[in-house]
Amino acid sequence: MDLIDRILHGDPRAAARLITMVENGTAEAVAALKAIYPHTGRGYVIGITGPPGSGKSTLTDRITAELRQLGKTVGIIAVDPTSPFTGGAILGDRIRMQRHSLDDGVFIRSMATRGHLGGLSRSTNDVVDVLDAMGKEYILIETVGVGQAEIEIVRTAHTTIVVAVPGLGDEIQVIKAGIMEIGDVFVVNKADRDGADRTVLEIEMMLEHGESDDGWRPKIFKTVAARGEGIDALTQGILGHREFLFEEEGHRRKGRERTRWVFRGLLQERLTARALERMARGGGLDPLVDRIAARETDPYTAVEEVLKKLGL
Ligand SMILES: Nc1nc2c(ncn2[C@@H]2O[C@H](COP(=O)(O)OP(=O)(O)OP(=O)(O)O)[C@@H](O)[C@H]2O)c(=O)[nH]1
Ligand SMILES: [Mg+2]
């Protein structure tokens, strides 16, 4: 069987191989992604984001166990921040999710944020497609909600879970800044610590001000992921949001939003690459930069000229 067939039959080794090709940005990867695309669109994508160390991996592990109990297959993408906050997160994730490593119904992949040709968010999206094509019914993506790319990734999920922990007022501020408004489901994890109820209240207060455009009222759950407490309620909350989406045609809408986002990103990337390629043949970017710097032309005119040469 060739690689595509093996992936479509759910072979984890074939999937892992394609993912590595995707990460390396090979032409072969693009051909394979084209071939699997007709077999995608069935998986339900769940994004999990929140500050470093808030318990995202532990929650992912617990939610996975819950979904497995319900007989569902699960794909997990842990986007490793390789950030100054958490060194060795990949190792940590592997250990935390190890109990699923012998389970055929679970496929786990870590991705480093550095060294992605064409951007992290697009390669993560490609990996979602691979897991989808291999038949994983639920696809969980864990990212630290710090960078724009990470936020973009979870934004495109069907259900977005935002994780907070008690007792860090500043942390709430950080969350508020970028990722508060994208949560469909909120989790106050580490509820074994003081102040969990206050954090729930704070989130409730923040949610009062905003309202989602699709009529969904975000839900808040308290969990102690390390001990598996509150996970069944949380999982039911996620499935509740899924049902809501299906009832309200939101599932299709979210799918289209993601498609639009993927298309625009790819177009942007390819157009820029084409333009730079064309310019490389004519001496590269430097002569143009020199002219702009010398105020012989301006950036707007320069870009317009390049676009004209490309026939756009
Ligand atoms: N007290 C307590 N600790 C927890 C809870 N859930 C997770 N932890 C611990 O918190 C630490 C971080 O958990 P992770 O699941 O790795 O958190 P994360 O958000 O994935 O971390 P990064 O991916 O590094 O950002 C681990 O030591 C967990 O055991 C909880 O409910 N209560
Ligand atoms: Mg983690």
Side-chain angles (χ1 to χ4, degrees), residues 53 55-58 60 78-79 81 86 89-90 92-93 96-97 142 144:
K56 299 177 296 297
S57 297
T58 315
T60 301
V79 178
T86 48
I90 286 185
D93 287 340
R96 261 184 282 292
M97 298 174 192
E142 174 194 338
V144 172

Side-chain angles (χ1 to χ4, degrees), residues 191-207:
D192 52 327
R193 289 190 186 165
D194 287 342
D197 289 325
R198 230 195 95 196
T199 307
V200 170
L201 260 167
E202 282 170 356
I203 295 173
E204 268 170 6
M205 275 162 60
M206 264 177 254
L207 292 176

Side-chain angles (χ1 to χ4, degrees), residues 276-290 309:
L276 290 174
E277 239 172 69
R278 175 71 70 93
M279 290 170 73
R281 277 185 252 143
L285 208 54
D286 283 337
L288 203 51
V289 171
D290 289 342
K309 274 188 199 148

Side-chain angles (χ1 to χ4, degrees), residues 158-180:
H158 293 111
T159 299
T160 300
I161 303 174
V162 173
V163 184
V165 291
L168 291 171
D170 290 349
E171 200 157 301
I172 289 281
Q173 293 306 319
V174 172
I175 296 176
K176 212 165 126 185
I179 61 181
M180 211 60 195

Side-chain angles (χ1 to χ4, degrees), residues 1-12 14-15 18 32 35-40 42 129-136:
M1 251 197 285
D2 73 355
L3 188 71
I4 306 296
D5 281 332
R6 283 170 56 206
I7 290 167
L8 297 181
H9 281 88
D11 179 347
L18 176 52
I36 63 166
Y37 198 75
H39 305 278
T40 62
R42 288 167 302 169
D129 283 346
V130 177
L131 302 192
D132 191 348
M134 77 186 287
K136 294 294 176 261

